Amino acid sequence: MPIFEYRCKKCNEVFEVLVRGSQKPECPNCKSKRLEKLISTFNASAPKPSPRKRRQSCSGECCSSQNTRCGGCCGGCGCA
């Protein structure tokens, strides 16, 4: 079920709509069916490689102020 982008010829509203089968979309603003299908760019996403983690030294200030084990500001050094 593709998503198409349209411009209404009556009110000039631009919108996207999921089109199922032979369904005829209508403008969400004025309900007109006089639409122009726009050419949309193709969009895809791929997983990004994870950066190598660097172990940082910790003064203990960030961890002790939150009364939790480290895992925030200094990247999980393990201080208490």
Side-chain angles (χ1 to χ4, degrees):
M1 290 178 275
I3 296 177
F4 291 105
E5 189 171 15
Y6 291 93
R7 175 180 290 123
C8 178
K9 291 183 178 182
K10 184 176 178 183
C11 71
N12 212 29
E13 177 84 9
V14 176
F15 61 95
E16 293 178 345
V17 65
L18 176 69
V19 179
R20 295 183 175 132
S22 61
Q23 177 185 13
K24 300 291 182 194
E26 64 180 31
C27 175
N29 188 42
C30 71
K31 307 300 182 202
S32 173
K33 293 198 181 258
R34 294 181 45 223
L35 306 174
E36 171 188 11
K37 188 185 285 188
L38 302 176
I39 297 174
S40 299
T41 58
F42 178 75
N43 186 5
S45 62
K48 294 181 182 178
S50 61
R52 291 198 299 171
K53 292 184 179 179
R54 285 186 268 163
R55 193 167 195 100
Q56 298 177 352
S57 61
C58 180
S59 65
E61 293 174 23
C62 64
C63 306
S64 60
S65 66
Q66 297 173 6
N67 295 326
T68 62
R69 295 214 31 102
C70 186
C73 67
C74 60
C77 64
C79 66

